Amino acid sequence: MDSTSLEPSLYTVKAVFILDNDGNRLLSKYYDPELYPTMKEQKNFENNVFSKTHKADNEIAFLEGMTIVYKSSIDLFFYVVGSAQENELMLMSVLNCLFDSVSHILRKNVERRCLLDNMEGVFLVVDEIIDGGVILESDSQQVLQKVNYRADDNPLTEQSVAQHLTEKLALTTNVLQSAKEQIKWSILK
Amino acid sequence: MTRLFQSNDQTLRRMCYLTIKEMANISEDVIIVTSSLTKDMTGKEDVYRGPAIRALCRITDTTMLQAIERYMKQAIVDKVPSVSSSALVSSLHMVKMSYDVVKRWVNEAQEAASSDNIMVQYHALGLLYHLRKNDRLAVTKMLNKFTKSGLKSPFAYCMLIRIASKLLDETEGGHDSPLFDFIESCLRNKNEMVVYEAASAIVHMPNCTARELAPAVSVLQLFCSSPKAALRYAAVRTLNKVAMKHPSAVTACNLDLENLITDSNRSIATLAITTLLKTGSESSVDRLMKQISSFVSEISDEFKVVVVQAISALCQKYPRKHSVMMNFLSNMLRDDGGFEYKRAIVDCIISIIEENPESKETGLAHLCEFIEDCEHTVLATKILHLLGKEGPRTPQPSKYIRFIFNRVVLESEAVRAAAVSALAKFGAQNDDLLPSVLVLMQRCMMDSDDEVRDRATFYMNVLQQKQKALNAAYIFNGLSVSIPGLEKSLHQYTLEPSEKPFDMKSVPLATTPITEQKMEIAPVATSKLPEKLAPSRQDIYQEQLASIPEFQALGPLFKSSEPVQLTEAETEYVVRCIKHTFARHMVFQFDCTNTLNDQLLQKVVVQMEPSEAYEVAHYIPAPSLPYSQPGSSYTLVRLPDDDPTAVSCTFSCTMKYLVRDCDPNTGEPDDDGYDDEYVLEDLEVTVADHIQKVLKPNFGAAWEEVGDENEKEETFALASVRTLDEAVGNIISFLGMQPCERSDKVPENKNSHVLFLAGVFRGGHDVLVRARLALADGVTMQVTVRSTEETVVDVILASVG
């Protein structure tokens, strides 16, 4: 915490990543080219962060000279990394936006399997929020409008099968109904 | 790739853009994709335009940029906010690549800055600042306009606050400037982000008084009790920084901080404790220590280092609590921890030992215990050196010998060598231990490592002579010459065959090392500092002067002074002088800078008129001084031979030069010029310029070594000085000698003090001064001077009188 103030710049976020319950990475983007350039260093960093933060459910931590804000839900962990002199509330707003948008896309089902199924939507969301380290958007409604992504309905759930059948049945009853009407009228004529 | 563009599925198209961005670094052939992207960029579907712009800008290089410039300009001022944002952010990325092209879009960016959308405002402001960063006037104008016109975006406010505080920093503006008022008004903004940024900016400003800090601190206090952990963390961290400079301002928040100690987030708790340590009173220290010890095992290494440094600061404030802290620190030493952490603890213990003589025994005992089981060689050698220095003076030195000897038997080579040196120091100072030490040394001579054997043999022979003078020279006070200088002199000696033996006095002395005070009282990413022996300032000057042919006959450089300013700060020509002392001459180096861009100076010479018997021998002019390029001119002065006590002199200096007017834009000079002169301030040469500081770790031994054949003593009354601290400072700066044995620190509430000074006079003569100071009505001083040369003693006494 040296007393030199940060050079005013739009580049505020250094990295974003999403890890699962065991610390394996699901999605990660690093925006600062000097920060952990190789894959090995990145994984190392993620492991460090995970081991320090997954036990206690606090929102904010300080590691390796950088401020990290994070949020967890069911079995996923979302992290946003910025430099030590960055405004923590700015990083929190990015994290909240990310979390809200993702949970909306996944229909409140923020867990690993659902995320993996809708990976492209999550990628688009991350791209819309941060571009090259600059915060592009911080309102999750705006982000969702821009991404405009619909999560696929899962056709294998029971509910939708039953729905499907009832729809089909309704259709056939309608058809039968109209056929009956037609025959009736044709006989009566 | 182009096929994918033809699909109409939105998601697919967007993923295409993402892939293009990722592949931007690898692919070479981007022309095909560029045309499709350009079509999308200007197309009707708004959803595609933003991302298309961003993807296009990622793959563009300078040549293509000109082609799409028109589209970019249109996009920046577009009504759709996403398009405008994307264009602005992409322009920012491209500033790095081609600054000139992006600079032409300033007007569009200015227009975008007055848009309603909060993100567009933020991006436009950021881009404008980046484009105008180097022009301070433009930045000021921009700031004034935006602070008055009010923005809606909290991000933009944060950016403005940062720009304003940086500007205040650079211009060193006072606290009544409108920028400061703007930052203060932001403290009352609705958005917490802005409030926090403003408070943080005020706290970081270098010259804040407590009154200005008060509103910021009260805001932070409110944050401390917020339910959001991020706010609490931010508030505590900022309060920590405030506590470093203005502990009194933070005492109001002590109650809130104490609540935070039990916070579930460990980082917050640690920061709260360290802040309390800085502002707490003596009675609360015990309580705080207990609380810290309960959770110190759970926090990360970086925070442990922070806590140790806070404890170190606390020890200096409350020396009587050293026993509590020493216990705490030794417990921490026994636990696991990384190298940085252990090193911080060892440094802390060493500083306690140095400041507080009562704690020496316990401190040394703890350290001995530590080296029994230490895996870090650097720490072990450091502690062994300390033991060697301090151990012999304790009442029972023999108990440390066991620890040291164990090191000799068990550890690695570097540690063994350090242990041998430490043993030698014990043997040299304590006569009754000498026989046992000699026996131990004999065993060391059989060691497997050659460094250890060399040292053991060397010390054995010196100790066996049993002469105090030899002990002092070789065991206590080490080599005081600069190592690169020694290397050069030895090299020269081997090249020229000569009858007389090598003279150490001809090697230039090492300037006392400038210990960098690393004011890093916070966790920082461990940076790798190269610890090579960089050539000191003196060696650099020696090289420079040796390259000038007229100066090669002068001999080795004895000492170079610090630069002295001979002009005011904002004048037309800025001149500063460095005084180089040789054996019988002095060279004055004048570094001149021409700050007028419509003049070119040539043949610049600084003419000096001495007031005493000094004789100006030669001038070397600086050939040419164009705008803002510093150049050096030299003057050679011979020192008076007849009266060696005349060492101080005042020179009145005038700069004489040939000036040619030149065109400010191109720098082309006119053909003719005229002579002109510029008067500089007077330059003083004092006795301090003839003496080089030398640190003698053991002053007593050096005092005996020099001997009392040339000893003289005199008493003076210092009329204008009121306190002992002031007197000590004055003497040290006047004589230019190095205080030894930490005698420059006067203990509080004492009426008498002894100051030990050591140095080497020009010509290689050792000189030592012992000054006894007494505070009665004024300060009386009894000065005893010893040297190897009588004239030197006279010189010192004459100059003090």
Side-chain angles (χ1 to χ4, degrees):
Chain A
M1 298 171 210
D2 35 326
S3 50
T4 58
S5 53
L6 191 61
E7 161 85 17
S9 149
L10 286 184
Y11 294 100
T12 42
V13 181
K14 294 220 166 174
V16 167
F17 43 89
I18 304 181
L19 304 179
D20 72 355
N21 244 344
D22 303 318
N24 303 317
R25 64 148 73 164
L26 296 169
L27 181 151
S28 82
K29 287 206 71 89
Y30 286 79
Y31 300 109
D32 187 354
E34 293 157 30
L35 183 71
Y36 306 126
T38 66
M39 176 74 91
K40 192 154 140 317
E41 288 181 24
Q42 287 178 1
K43 291 232 152 132
N44 210 9
F45 176 60
E46 285 160 21
N47 281 335
N48 281 342
V49 171
F50 185 71
S51 56
K52 291 259 162 59
T53 57
H54 78 280
K55 286 172 285 196
D57 187 30
N58 304 303
E59 296 174 5
I60 188 163
F62 185 91
L63 267 168
E64 303 193 23
M66 278 176 289
T67 309
I68 304 171
V69 297
Y70 59 97
K71 206 167 198 166
S72 75
S73 124
I74 309 180
D75 60 349
L76 291 178
F77 289 86
F78 294 78
Y79 296 89
V80 175
V81 179
S83 91
Q85 294 122 324
E86 200 54 65
N87 189 337
E88 292 88 352
L89 298 175
M90 252 196 223
L91 297 173
M92 281 304 290
S93 73
V94 170
L95 180 69
N96 287 332
C97 179
L98 175 67
F99 188 75
D100 290 336
S101 318
V102 169
S103 66
H104 205 264
I105 285 189
L106 301 179
R107 307 266 170 104
K108 308 278 184 239
N109 223 359
V110 187
E111 48 104 24
R112 185 165 167 267
R113 208 166 59 93
C114 205
L115 184 101
L116 286 173
D117 287 337
N118 297 302
M119 206 51 165
E120 65 267 25
V122 181
F123 266 117
L124 289 177
V125 159
V126 172
D127 182 57
E128 277 299 327
I129 298 181
I130 308 175
D131 180 67
V134 182
I135 302 180
L136 204 50
E137 184 57 64
S138 68
D139 182 14
S140 57
Q141 290 300 320
Q142 294 280 342
V143 174
L144 288 167
Q145 242 181 23
K146 287 191 219 172
V147 169
N148 208 3
Y149 175 81
R150 290 198 182 291
D152 295 327
D153 285 328
N154 197 334
L156 292 175
T157 55
E158 276 190 40
Q159 201 182 29
S160 63
V161 167
Q163 246 180 5
H164 201 68
L165 283 175
T166 29
E167 272 176 20
K168 281 270 158 77
L169 276 175
L171 270 176
T172 33
T173 25
N174 277 341
V175 167
L176 282 174
Q177 190 89 346
S178 63
K180 270 196 224 168
E181 291 280 330
Q182 291 239 359
I183 297 175
K184 205 163 65 175
W185 282 116
S186 66
I187 296 178
L188 286 175
K189 247 206 267 188
Chain B
M1 191 37 115
T2 14
R3 282 293 177 83
L4 289 170
F5 268 99
Q6 289 163 1
S7 145
N8 273 329
D9 186 15
Q10 271 195 11
T11 318
L12 190 55
R13 185 75 71 92
R14 300 288 303 282
M15 290 308 285
C16 278
Y17 296 145
L18 278 188
T19 341
I20 294 174
K21 278 209 273 195
E22 287 301 316
M23 296 205 303
N25 294 334
I26 342 175
S27 55
E28 306 272 339
D29 248 344
V30 293
I31 307 186
I32 311 170
V33 189
T34 314
S35 62
S36 324
L37 280 174
T38 326
K39 200 162 65 99
D40 271 340
M41 203 165 87
T42 50
K44 280 192 263 181
E45 298 254 7
D46 285 336
V47 177
Y48 293 150
R49 284 172 70 196
I53 295 177
R54 286 188 279 138
L56 185 60
C57 294
R58 197 54 74 88
I59 58 177
T60 302
D61 63 5
T62 332
T63 53
M64 284 198 284
L65 192 56
Q66 313 260 4
I68 57 171
E69 190 174 339
R70 197 166 55 92
Y71 299 121
M72 288 300 292
K73 281 198 189 179
Q74 277 177 345
I76 292 182
V77 292
D78 197 288
K79 291 283 179 286
V80 179
S82 70
V83 174
S84 181
S85 277
S86 309
L88 286 165
V89 174
S90 313
S91 332
L92 185 63
H93 292 316
M94 291 195 288
V95 163
K96 278 181 252 164
M97 247 192 341
S98 54
Y99 178 71
D100 305 312
V101 178
V102 183
K103 208 162 167 206
R104 301 203 281 259
W105 306 344
V106 163
N107 290 329
E108 278 80 16
Q110 189 90 21
E111 213 185 300
S114 34
S115 130
D116 276 340
N117 183 301
I118 56 175
M119 293 317 283
V120 174
Q121 266 184 0
Y122 173 55
H123 297 140
L125 183 59
L127 182 65
L128 283 172
Y129 176 70
H130 261 277
L131 289 175
R132 291 188 180 145
K133 233 183 343 185
N134 299 321
D135 185 355
R136 202 187 287 175
L137 202 54
V139 173
T140 326
K141 263 199 312 200
M142 192 174 80
L143 257 187
N144 283 335
K145 179 167 152 247
F146 281 120
T147 52
K148 293 204 180 68
S149 72
L151 298 160
K152 286 196 218 135
S153 159
F155 291 108
Y157 265 112
C158 290
M159 183 84 181
L160 272 183
I161 293 175
R162 280 199 204 152
I163 300 178
S165 59
K166 179 147 194 285
L167 210 59
L168 272 178
D169 219 14
E170 281 175 3
T171 60
E172 292 168 8
H175 296 293
D176 39 357
S177 91
L179 290 174
F180 184 75
D181 290 332
F182 164 66
I183 298 183
E184 225 205 307
S185 67
C186 286
L187 278 177
R188 298 182 277 277
N189 193 295
K190 276 181 286 182
N191 190 312
E192 290 171 326
M193 208 191 309
V194 179
V195 173
Y196 172 66
E197 185 76 37
S200 180
I202 294 182
V203 158
H204 279 129
M205 273 198 279
N207 307 318
C208 245
T209 65
R211 202 168 46 87
E212 283 134 13
L213 280 178
V217 170
S218 54
V219 154
L220 292 171
Q221 194 175 355
L222 275 170
F223 281 164
C224 276
S225 31
S226 140
K228 283 195 261 186
L231 267 179
R232 291 200 302 265
Y233 177 80
V236 170
R237 206 177 69 150
T238 323
L239 280 175
N240 199 358
K241 280 181 239 181
V242 175
M244 272 188 240
K245 288 182 279 182
H246 303 271
S248 46
V250 183
T251 36
C253 312
N254 269 357
L255 205 53
D256 299 278
L257 287 172
E258 288 196 16
N259 287 339
L260 286 178
I261 296 182
T262 45
D263 193 291
S264 57
N265 187 327
R266 281 293 161 232
S267 326
I268 296 184
T270 318
L271 283 169
I273 288 232
T274 44
T275 319
L276 280 172
L277 279 175
K278 289 189 185 105
T279 64
S281 59
E282 203 162 338
S283 49
S284 56
V285 166
D286 295 322
R287 196 162 42 95
L288 284 173
M289 286 289 166
K290 266 203 249 341
Q291 271 171 324
I292 302 178
S293 44
S294 60
F295 75 63
V296 87
S297 51
E298 296 171 17
I299 55 181
S300 65
D301 253 12
E302 289 139 344
F303 277 122
K304 284 191 204 167
V305 173
V306 172
V307 173
V308 170
Q309 279 162 340
I311 295 178
S312 164
L314 202 64
C315 291
Q316 284 175 345
K317 248 178 35 170
Y318 302 121
R320 280 183 299 184
K321 290 283 172 184
H322 63 86
S323 49
V324 173
M325 303 198 202
M326 198 71 94
N327 275 340
F328 178 70
L329 287 169
S330 61
N331 284 339
M332 285 169 84
L333 255 188
R334 283 197 208 108
D335 295 331
D336 299 326
F339 171 60
E340 286 296 328
Y341 171 57
K342 296 273 166 100
R343 189 168 81 165
I345 302 183
V346 169
D347 286 338
C348 186
I349 297 185
I350 292 180
S351 65
I352 299 182
I353 292 180
E354 282 177 355
E355 298 279 333
N356 209 330
E358 305 162 359
S359 60
K360 204 154 70 150
E361 296 253 346
T362 36
L364 288 177
H366 286 303
L367 288 174
C368 284
E369 218 185 294
F370 174 57
I371 53 175
E372 296 267 309
D373 194 21
C374 171
E375 67 245 18
H376 305 288
T377 330
V378 173
L379 292 178
T381 43
K382 190 166 174 174
I383 296 179
L384 281 168
H385 271 287
L386 179 74
L387 278 176
K389 203 169 78 157
E390 302 281 343
R393 290 187 233 174
T394 60
Q396 285 179 321
S398 46
K399 62 182 178 183
Y400 299 115
I401 299 204
R402 178 176 70 85
F403 285 105
I404 302 180
F405 190 61
N406 281 345
R407 301 302 105 227
V408 172
V409 172
L410 296 170
E411 298 271 1
S412 66
E413 300 81 42
V415 180
R416 290 206 296 267
V420 168
S421 309
L423 273 180
K425 291 200 180 109
F426 273 92
Q429 264 207 311
N430 305 70
D431 290 327
D432 43 338
L433 291 174
L434 188 56
S436 356
V437 170
L438 283 173
V439 169
L440 293 174
M441 287 282 187
Q442 201 123 27
R443 286 203 215 137
C444 296
M445 291 211 285
M446 308 295 169
D447 195 281
S448 55
D449 182 49
D450 46 351
E451 169 76 23
V452 180
R453 281 200 306 271
D454 284 343
R455 287 199 195 188
T457 326
F458 175 65
Y459 288 132
M460 268 240 0
N461 285 327
V462 171
L463 286 172
Q464 275 169 344
Q465 309 276 350
K466 298 203 179 133
Q467 283 184 27
K468 285 253 182 246
L470 278 181
N471 284 356
Y474 294 119
I475 300 187
F476 291 128
N477 303 323
L479 211 55
S480 58
V481 298
S482 84
I483 308 237
L486 181 62
E487 187 187 336
K488 258 199 281 275
S489 310
L490 282 172
H491 187 63
Q492 233 167 350
Y493 183 71
T494 51
L495 289 176
E496 307 160 6
S498 161
E499 288 294 320
K500 46 182 183 97
F502 181 67
D503 186 11
M504 275 294 259
K505 298 248 163 81
S506 67
V507 182
L509 293 165
T511 46
T512 37
I514 312 162
T515 49
E516 292 175 33
Q517 294 266 348
K518 279 180 39 166
M519 302 287 285
E520 313 244 356
I521 314 198
V524 178
T526 46
S527 51
K528 307 172 216 34
L529 289 172
E531 301 205 328
K532 5 182 245 241
L533 193 65
S536 68
R537 247 177 92 238
Q538 181 140 326
D539 300 319
I540 299 176
Y541 284 137
Q542 178 126 9
E543 300 264 351
Q544 278 179 346
L545 291 171
S547 61
I548 302 176
E550 287 87 344
F551 297 155
Q552 271 171 3
L554 297 177
L557 175 64
F558 178 66
K559 179 187 164 163
S560 302
S561 72
E562 297 293 323
V564 176
Q565 294 280 7
L566 291 181
T567 57
E568 302 278 310
E570 299 279 339
T571 48
E572 303 98 351
Y573 312 114
V574 178
V575 178
R576 48 172 221 176
C577 174
I578 304 176
K579 300 173 262 190
H580 303 288
T581 319
F582 289 85
R584 275 183 297 281
H585 295 80
M586 273 184 89
V587 172
F588 296 94
Q589 174 181 346
F590 296 96
D591 291 327
C592 316
T593 312
N594 173 17
T595 64
L596 297 174
N597 62 352
D598 58 349
Q599 278 191 357
L600 173 69
L601 304 183
Q602 287 185 326
K603 300 204 198 94
V604 181
V605 162
V606 179
Q607 200 162 49
M608 304 172 72
E609 300 281 335
S611 64
E612 301 271 336
Y614 281 55
E615 211 183 299
V616 175
H618 195 65
Y619 289 111
I620 296 185
S624 152
L625 279 185
Y627 169 57
S628 93
Q629 270 175 17
S632 301
S633 124
Y634 298 90
T635 308
L636 177 64
V637 169
R638 191 173 305 123
L639 297 167
D641 287 325
D642 40 352
D643 186 8
T645 56
V647 287
S648 54
C649 177
T650 312
F651 292 88
S652 54
C653 306
T654 318
M655 192 163 92
K656 295 212 162 111
Y657 46 90
L658 181 75
V659 62
R660 291 161 77 176
D661 292 320
C662 60
D663 190 3
N665 293 331
T666 60
E668 298 273 326
D670 286 346
D671 286 328
D672 54 348
Y674 52 94
D675 282 318
D676 200 0
E677 60 178 51
Y678 186 75
V679 176
L680 305 170
E681 293 176 12
D682 286 341
L683 183 65
E684 289 241 351
V685 172
T686 60
V687 69
D689 292 317
H690 295 266
I691 300 186
Q692 173 73 291
K693 292 182 179 188
V694 169
L695 176 68
K696 299 263 186 227
N698 193 325
F699 187 80
W703 189 253
E704 298 296 323
E705 184 195 349
V706 169
D708 58 354
E709 30 179 280
N710 293 324
E711 174 177 314
K712 289 215 179 123
E713 195 171 285
E714 260 193 61
T715 312
F716 304 94
L718 302 172
S720 55
V721 179
R722 289 284 133 225
T723 64
L724 285 179
D725 264 333
E726 216 183 310
V728 165
N730 282 352
I731 300 173
I732 294 177
S733 56
F734 179 68
L735 284 179
M737 295 167 73
Q738 174 75 24
C740 301
E741 309 268 348
R742 303 180 69 85
S743 54
D744 52 338
K745 295 206 168 51
V746 180
E748 290 185 12
N749 300 330
K750 279 186 84 172
N751 288 344
S752 66
H753 184 64
V754 185
L755 177 66
F756 299 118
L757 297 172
V760 174
F761 194 77
R762 169 177 53 89
H765 308 291
D766 280 320
V767 59
L768 300 168
V769 169
R770 186 181 62 196
R772 289 205 177 92
L773 299 152
L775 179 68
D777 260 331
V779 178
T780 40
M781 178 170 79
Q782 182 192 43
V783 177
T784 319
V785 185
R786 276 194 189 182
S787 169
T788 45
E789 177 73 39
E790 193 179 346
T791 45
V792 175
V793 180
D794 291 330
V795 164
I796 303 270
L797 282 177
S799 55
V800 175

